[in-house]
Amino acid sequence: MARVNQVGPPPLQSPIVDASGKVTSVWAVWCRDLFARTSDKKSNSIDENKAAADSALESIGKSLVDINATQEDIITQINANISAIFANEAGIAANTQNQTSHQEAETAHGSNGNIVGFDDLATALVQGLVKQMAAVAGAVDSTVEITQTVVDAPLLYSQSSLQELIGLSRANKAGINQLKTDLNAVKTVLNNLIQTNKAAGQMAE
């Protein structure tokens, strides 16, 4: 069984020497244990404890170095974060000012005057956006052409001469009726143009 490196309390109630002047056995045992505990390397762990203590201190020293390095890294990161926060704050302030300036601008992105959006339709006083007007079929040319010819009236009554006048009158009637039809077609085109113009928001109702 291994010896236990422990020293009990000194036997103060026992004499140190006996009547013959020799150290009593009680004190001899205590002194032996004290020597074994404090000085005898064969029977105590003082050096081992010191080595363990030194190793522990070295480990603690390394840990302190690591802690200091980590602390410096943390401080560096915090400073970097603070700088980034200040930079973000400055950027946000600049963007806010830019947005305000953009909202108040009257000339931007090729726009001249008040900048309008999708719902800003033109009014009688303010220019604005309008929708594309629907296509309207073009008006066609009138095809009326009166080619009837009439000779000068004779001095005496002539049925053929009168018949020519009657034919001319009939041609004129037909031409006038066709002109009316063509004019109504132009009217229809013009009305369609007006309605599509209103629908596009380019003309007031």
Side-chain angles (χ1 to χ4, degrees):
M1 182 176 179
R3 297 179 60 186
V4 180
N5 290 322
Q6 292 182 351
V7 179
L12 299 178
Q13 302 299 324
S14 300
I16 297 177
V17 297
D18 57 13
S20 63
K22 295 180 179 181
V23 178
T24 61
S25 61
V26 175
W27 276 97
V29 172
W30 187 83
C31 289
R32 182 198 63 189
D33 291 342
L34 180 62
F35 170 77
R37 181 68 181 89
T38 61
S39 301
D40 189 357
K41 295 183 178 181
K42 296 180 180 180
S43 61
N44 67 63
S45 57
I46 291 177
D47 291 341
E48 296 177 359
N49 292 338
K50 182 177 182 301
D54 291 342
S55 177
L57 289 175
E58 182 180 359
S59 177
I60 291 173
K62 291 182 179 179
S63 297
L64 289 176
V65 172
D66 294 339
I67 290 173
N68 289 333
T70 302
Q71 184 179 12
E72 291 178 358
D73 292 341
I74 292 174
I75 293 174
T76 301
Q77 187 61 47
I78 290 175
N79 290 333
N81 290 339
I82 292 175
S83 298
I85 290 173
F86 282 134
N88 289 337
E89 182 180 6
I92 292 173
N95 289 337
T96 301
Q97 182 60 44
N98 291 338
Q99 183 178 6
T100 301
S101 300
H102 186 75
Q103 290 175 345
E104 295 175 351
E106 292 186 353
T107 302
H109 307 300
S111 174
N112 185 15
N114 293 333
I115 301 175
V116 296
F118 289 115
D119 296 328
D120 297 325
L121 299 180
T123 65
L125 300 177
V126 179
Q127 296 176 347
L129 294 176
V130 294
K131 294 182 293 184
Q132 185 181 49
M133 188 173 63
V136 175
V140 297
D141 295 334
S142 176
T143 58
V144 175
E145 182 180 4
I146 299 175
T147 60
Q148 186 82 20
T149 59
V150 179
V151 297
D152 293 336
L155 295 176
L156 300 175
Y157 169 78
S158 172
Q159 182 179 5
S160 60
S161 178
L162 181 60
Q163 189 63 40
E164 289 179 356
L165 290 175
I166 294 173
L168 177 60
S169 297
R170 290 174 177 172
N172 287 337
K173 176 184 177 182
I176 291 172
N177 289 335
Q178 184 61 47
L179 286 175
K180 177 183 177 182
T181 301
D182 295 342
L183 182 60
N184 288 336
V186 173
K187 174 185 175 183
T188 300
V189 171
L190 181 59
N191 286 335
N192 288 337
L193 180 65
I194 293 173
Q195 292 302 319
T196 53
N197 199 296
K198 288 181 179 180
Q202 299 177 17
M203 179 183 293
E205 291 288 346

